[in-house]
Amino acid sequence: MADPGNRNSPIADWYRGRSVFVTGGTGFLGKVLVEKLLRSCPDVAAVYLLMRPKRGNDVRTRMDELLSNTIFDWLRKEQPSALNKLVPIRGDVTCPELGISPADQKILADSVSVVFHSAATVKFDEALKLSVSMNILGTKRLVQLCHKMAKLEALVHVSTAYCNCNRQEVQEVVYPPPADPEKIIQCVDWMEEDLLDTITPKIIGSRPNTYTFTKALAEHVLVQESGSLPVAIVRPSIVTAAWQEPIPGWVDNLNGPTGLLASAGKGILRTILCYRNLVADFVPVDNVINLLITVAWHTATARPNNTVVYNCTSGKLNSIKWKDVEDIGYENILKNPFDDVLWYPGGSFKSSRILNNICVLVFHMIPAYILDLVARMSGKKPIMVRLHKKVNQAVSCLQFFTTHEWQFTNDNVVRLLSHLNPHDRKTFNFDIKAVDWRSYFEHYVLGTRKFILKEDVSSLPAARTHLRRMYWVHRFSQFLTLLLLWRVIMVRSESARQLWLTLFNLIHRFTQCIPYLAQAE
């Protein structure tokens, strides 16, 4: 975990004395970005975090909550003074002028050299009104603030590789938007939300959800509004748990593959529509963050005369297919099981939508209703149906990405990596080719166990014992199911009964012949 500091590091040296402004600093990407800046760029002057009051807590309380996260443990112990460089800025990207007071706007305008814009709603099925407000208007408002920053040297916008998912091949360019952003903004402004929700599928067109639609429009707004600002765009694909830092396997949310691992490991998820031979384009969160920090440095020092786009993806450089995710994930779930699994982990990816829907009914919903009925009869709170509905909703949002494949070009990423000296290639490593997926997924499962499910490693022996018990329960239930099925068939089918009697007589005659065959030998 320890970082050697900024010796022989042009990147860390460049950040010396400069102030950074981060939106989305309390999110998954934001936490890792803030920690990495403080640890690997120790001479950074200040890191301003845009934060909004939440659940009655002011920004200072939210800052304390942020710093209590496990990933800041090393800094708290080894470089506690670095945490004093974090400055909360009260605001909200959904408000005019980002909800930042004039006094704070002046502080930012006078001191900030680098802006990382990662604030966004990443819910795939978010209502269009909120998605437009955060992803499009939030970006527009941020650019307006950046125009006031006299010292600004780099604005790095975090987009998504899937904002152009209507194309099979996605290059590192900003494509024409799927709609006029201004018309979309006006539309959601005056239209009733119920009506807007009804016509959302028509508005987003070929995009699978409001997230990819609004992120595509945000890129266009960024380019249109930025003028001569030094702007770069980083497009991550599916962001997953940390590879090496701040802690191998660290993750803080159930989005995407993490939710699949958690629900499959607990024995809840047993089927998902997924084309196993397609590439699963995963990228660890620390790869994304190292690229972001490097892109800001390169934008400021190389001063390109246009907006450079970086596709932060793995499919072309170090691909892993969904079938490998299934096999390696299942292997590690059994090797490092979760506590108190509800059923023995199993199931599989399905390539048929009809078969998958049948399996959802048979293996998800029917058992859930049965377990809830048992819970009610025993005086306990029924939760399984509600839990399975949530899991099925989350899985359905992912199905577009598990049944399609894209070819992302990475020329700008590869070129940028080649510009780094050996020290920075190690300190700010975003070389996806170096990731060993098998080792990575073992850490991923352990990280999900520890950081999401809050299960200590000391409970692994008991978890393995419980898993063995659930294995025999699973096998016994399969036997009972086959026995019941056999019984139903015997009762209802004369042909099946005759076939069974014939087979039984053949076996009986064969066993009678065995002694005579033995004597003949």
Side-chain angles (χ1 to χ4, degrees), residues 9 23-24 70 96 106 132-134 173 202 213 216 248 250 306 383 410 432 456 460 464 507 509:
S9 172
T23 70
T70 305
K106 184 172 185 346
V132 167
S133 179
M134 290 195 68
V173 298
K202 182 71 174 176
F213 177 74
W250 182 83
N306 61 341
I383 61 170
N410 306 96
I432 195 69
D456 193 83
L460 270 172
R464 292 181 179 123
I507 294 172
R509 290 176 184 177

Side-chain angles (χ1 to χ4, degrees), residues 20 311 313 347 438 445 479:
V20 178
N311 284 340
T313 58
R438 182 167 293 277
V445 169
F479 172 74

